[in-house]
Amino acid sequence: MVPQKIKVSFCMYEILEKKVLSDAVKLMKIKAPLVAKKAQPGQFIILRIDKKGERIPLTIADYDRKKGTITIIFMEVGKTTKQLGLMKEGDKILNFVGPLGIPSEIENYGTVVCIGGGVGIAPLYPIIRALKQAGNHVVTILGARNEELLMLEKEIDEISDEKHICTDDGSKGTKGFVSDVLQKLIDDKIKIDIVWAIGPVIMMKVVADLTRKYNIRTIVSLNPIMVDGTGMCGGCRVTVGGKTKFACVDGPEFDGHQVDFENLMLRNSRFVDEEKHSCKISGVE
Amino acid sequence: MPEQDPKKRINNFDEVPFGYDEQTAIAEAKRCLQCKNRPCVDGCPVGIDIPDFIKEITEGDFEKAAVILKNKTNLPAVCGRVCPYEEQCEGKCTLLKLGEPVGIGRLERFVADYILRKGEKLPKKPVPTGKKIAVVGAGPAGLTCAGDLAKMGHSVVIFEAFHAPGGVLMYGIPEFRLPKEIVRKEVEYIEKLGVKIQYDVVVGKTISVEEILDEYDAVFFGTGAGLPSFLNIDGENLAGIYSANEFLTRVNMMKAYKFPEYDTPIKIGKKVATFGAGNVAMDCARTALRLGAEKSYIIYRRSEKEMPARNEEIEHAREEGVIFKLLTNPIRFIGDEKGNVKQVGCIEMKLGGPDTSGRRRPIPVEGTEFKIDIDTALIAIGQSPNPLIPQTTKGLEVERWGNIKTDEQGRTNIPGIFAGGDIATGAATVILAMGAGKRAARSIDKYIKSNKQ
Ligand SMILES: Cc1cc2nc3c(=O)[nH]c(=O)nc-3n(C[C@H](O)[C@H](O)[C@H](O)COP(=O)(O)OP(=O)(O)OC[C@H]3O[C@@H](n4cnc5c(N)ncnc54)[C@H](O)[C@@H]3O)c2cc1C
Ligand SMILES: Cc1cc2nc3c(=O)[nH]c(=O)nc-3n(C[C@H](O)[C@H](O)[C@H](O)COP(=O)(O)OP(=O)(O)OC[C@H]3O[C@@H](n4cnc5c(N)ncnc54)[C@H](O)[C@@H]3O)c2cc1C
Ligand code: SF4
Ligand code: SF4
Ligand code: FES
């Protein structure tokens, strides 16, 4: 009675590969053939580890349609991500649903600057790859608090036409924020057709504020708290251009110049005291 | 029916009414006049043979009573709890004119609970037809349609976006009104009929409708009215403001009331305001009390008479201490310096002439603005159909509010695609969704048989 073509890996999703990228950042390849078949850059999944678990969203960092795997890269910030970080190859995750959200709008824009901060570098990777394949000249700026927290450098280097690295403490690349590097590119009169910025909310806000001044279109990927990821709860609502949008179905990517970042930061801190919150996603601040 | 004491029950999530015991059930069943014209049956959207099942109760044959129920409903323990029976079957009961109607809903619950405890025999296995049908959504509409199709011998798979079955039965209606164990057991019965449920599949995202139609002989959409409406007033995106859907999903499906045993959190503070006055709103306000709210308000812009919730729910809410602020309309939310909601600005209303819905239109009374201190706001003013399926099914006709357009038999404008329940009617009731699922199952069967490939 099991349908032939639409085969679902019944209930359990196996961890096929695990890599420790840094103390708190891990990469996993998960067997999820149905999700892999449809996954596109810019989309995300929602997983639940076990029966008592919370549903948490994670961006699709990579996918392999042939092998039927999805790569996730996550930062351990709280209960679920820490528990996930302790799991081993061969372990199984109870629920894994996706791909959710609207894929990135990939086309040939000309010159694209892709900015990744901290774990935000992970979701940026498939987007960079797709932009490159579409014929863009891709300039990447990767930033993190320190060298430890930089990731996918080699992979991204191979597909970028130009690459800049910066860290807050100067342990790798130039010392400073991604926005400083972007400012320099702008000052150097490099023609920039569009910017993609993914990272901590504050980073995306700073980048958007900067590009607004120069009228450079900027796409950001938002990470509000989510429950279902299908437009059913409204928990993920964000204010974009004065209108309420549901990030899970209308996004997660939006025009950075229209996003109300202050409201997003507030809504994201509704279940923790602010101190804890600030350690959320590493990177530039 | 005996119930938990309001003072006690606001401290737990256990079911409020205890249900009949055998003696009471038999005594109640004996009140039935066994009317020849069976008005009660006309009042039931799925046409349960009410006098017949009641007759079996009077004779103490609860198993036979269950068989009669199951002829028409796959979820009797659910219907016997959440059906608005006072307007349906019991509203048509001959005895209503003489005082109290027969407690049909409660008798249904009694029989269903009896058979769930006892375990029941499955109907005889039908001859497999070799036809495959996909059902999208495991809510009451989808479950009913799937169960009936399986009984006809078709092979049925339900694709469900969530990790659990039941739709609103699981994520919306609270534990104290509909224990999740009951839902789970009734769903297990449907699975035993041969229905497969595949979770974590969002149709339109994980698989497309075209892919389904490539492989299945027909598809039924029972995807519900999951899109929450908001008030669209200032400050609505402050922290501490939830849609009823988010709040109830966190509490019911993710079991936030058992945090930290379960990982999903919920934070409500001491003063909670729920906006709206339907069943959903009552569920929110009563849930808030159970989570420790000291003040739980229902804020509604019309008067008592227009409240759409069932009387029983309003009564229960009142007994538990929910504060009703009627003829009151919110105009904006006010936040503290950290962006949490701290007050809601309201205005008093009065009722004018009737509007298009026939209800008297509420009109603001100028100069009556006032503020209520709150820690949490729950928006329960309605849901509309989830747009994902209509958006991703090429050529599917929808109506003005995004409902999928169907005829009486659940057929859409595309051959082979059927729909029913809240996705077709807009937010309605469990039993109407089940009725739609049943009609669609019959019409799918007819379609497949006439469609010899
Ligand atoms: C579309 C989307 C894509 C994301 N992609 C990634 C990714 O690729 N890698 C990654 O490391 N993180 C990503 N996140 C953030 C990730 O979902 C949260 O870090 C995770 O849910 C925290 O769960 P926890 O139980 O470990 O932490 P908790 O103890 O629940 O909370 C720790 C912190 O995370 C925040 N948080 C809690 N729940 C959520 C939630 N459901 N969504 C967002 N933030 C939450 C809290 O406000 C708090 O600041 C993404 C979020 C979204 C919405
Ligand atoms: C809080 C609350 C209380 C209520 N109380 C009562 C009551 O007391 N009595 C009463 O009669 N009615 C009540 N109702 C209304 C009743 O629950 C609904 O009318 C009924 O559940 C509708 O059934 P349905 O099968 O059409 O949809 P739903 O129950 O909404 O089920 C739809 C299912 O489809 C799934 N789905 C959606 N989209 C997709 C997709 N793209 N792919 C896969 N799966 C998908 C959803 O996850 C869900 O499981 C209440 C509703 C709420 C919200
Ligand atoms: S299903 Fe609902 S309407 Fe029908 S008999 Fe039972 S309680 Fe009455
Ligand atoms: S109308 Fe009332 S009294 Fe008559 S058969 Fe139906 S339940 Fe019995
Ligand atoms: S996560 Fe629930 S609507 Fe977006």
Side-chain angles (χ1 to χ4, degrees), chain A residues 40-45 57-60 99-104 123 127 196-198 204 219-224 226 229 236 238 240 245-256 259 261 264, chain B residues 205:
Chain A
Q40 288 187 57
Q43 292 187 294
F44 65 96
I45 56 96
L58 293 171
T59 315
I60 295 172
L100 300 170
I102 295 174
S104 307
I127 299 173
W196 239 273
I198 308 185
M204 294 191 282
I219 310 286
V220 295
S221 179
L222 305 185
N223 60 344
M226 293 187 175
C236 64
V238 288
V240 181
K245 300 272 177 191
F246 290 2
C248 69
V249 285
D250 301 324
E253 292 188 353
F254 292 100
D255 176 351
V259 171
F261 288 103
L264 175 63
Chain B
K205 289 282 180 190

Side-chain angles (χ1 to χ4, degrees), chain A residues 8 38 52 79 233 266, chain B residues 198 211 243 245 261 263 338:
Chain A
V8 175
K38 288 283 160 61
K52 294 186 176 177
K79 165 89 202 289
C233 74
L266 275 173
Chain B
Q198 304 204 337
E211 282 171 294
S243 74
N245 274 358
E261 183 199 344
D263 295 340
K338 290 183 190 160

Side-chain angles (χ1 to χ4, degrees), chain B residues 358-369:
Chain B
R359 294 181 301 180
R360 295 178 63 193
R361 189 200 316 271
I363 312 164
V365 183
E366 252 174 80
T368 58
E369 284 185 47

Side-chain angles (χ1 to χ4, degrees), chain B residues 31-35 39-40 50-51 54 92-95 102 104:
Chain B
R31 291 181 55 231
C32 171
L33 306 173
Q34 294 292 319
C35 312
C40 48
I50 296 169
I54 293 184
K92 293 261 169 84
C93 176
T94 317
L95 281 180
V102 175
I104 304 171

Side-chain angles (χ1 to χ4, degrees), chain B residues 6-226:
Chain B
K7 284 200 209 66
K8 262 204 210 125
R9 71 186 190 229
I10 59 167
N11 297 312
N12 67 49
F13 274 81
D14 299 341
E15 200 173 4
V16 170
F18 292 125
Y20 289 145
D21 57 25
E22 286 187 18
Q23 273 171 341
T24 330
I26 293 172
E28 181 65 21
K30 282 192 171 144
R31 291 181 55 231
C32 171
L33 306 173
Q34 294 292 319
C35 312
K36 282 264 149 17
N37 56 342
R38 302 152 72 98
C40 48
V41 180
D42 293 336
C44 171
V46 295
I48 289 182
D49 298 305
I50 296 169
D52 303 349
F53 99 81
I54 293 184
K55 183 139 193 301
E56 297 303 335
I57 300 178
T58 61
E59 281 160 21
D61 194 343
F62 308 135
E63 272 171 58
K64 219 168 188 179
V67 173
I68 296 170
L69 279 176
K70 287 250 163 148
N71 268 336
K72 295 286 165 69
T73 165
N74 291 326
L75 306 164
V78 172
C79 299
R81 287 174 164 82
V82 302
C83 232
Y85 27 75
E86 63 281 356
E87 292 168 18
Q88 297 175 347
C89 51
E90 294 180 17
K92 293 261 169 84
C93 176
T94 317
L95 281 180
L96 182 62
K97 288 158 218 138
L98 306 168
E100 270 288 287
V102 175
I104 304 171
R106 288 154 187 190
L107 288 171
E108 181 171 347
R109 170 181 165 182
F110 165 77
V111 172
D113 287 359
Y114 175 86
I115 207 73
L116 277 182
R117 270 198 311 276
K118 185 109 196 309
E120 72 194 290
K121 286 188 263 25
L122 288 170
K124 224 176 75 208
K125 266 219 159 18
V127 188
T129 59
K131 298 290 181 188
K132 297 199 308 189
I133 296 140
V135 168
V136 183
L143 288 168
T144 302
C145 184
D148 280 11
L149 288 165
K151 285 187 199 161
M152 296 170 190
H154 304 304
S155 146
V156 190
V157 176
I158 303 183
F159 295 108
E160 167 57 48
F162 259 123
H163 59 258
V168 171
L169 307 181
M170 199 62 102
Y171 73 70
I173 305 181
E175 180 77 18
F176 56 84
R177 267 210 306 130
L178 179 62
K180 303 308 146 213
E181 196 48 37
I182 301 268
V183 181
R184 215 166 283 125
K185 280 196 185 141
E186 295 217 313
V187 172
E188 266 169 32
Y189 176 81
I190 290 170
E191 286 177 301
K192 281 189 201 141
L193 295 172
V195 173
K196 279 239 143 53
I197 308 181
Q198 304 204 337
Y199 298 105
D200 304 333
V201 179
V202 182
V203 172
K205 289 282 180 190
T206 315
I207 54 178
S208 68
V209 177
E210 281 91 16
E211 282 171 294
I212 293 183
L213 284 175
D214 269 353
E215 199 180 322
Y216 291 82
D217 298 293
V219 58
F220 173 78
F221 293 138
T223 46

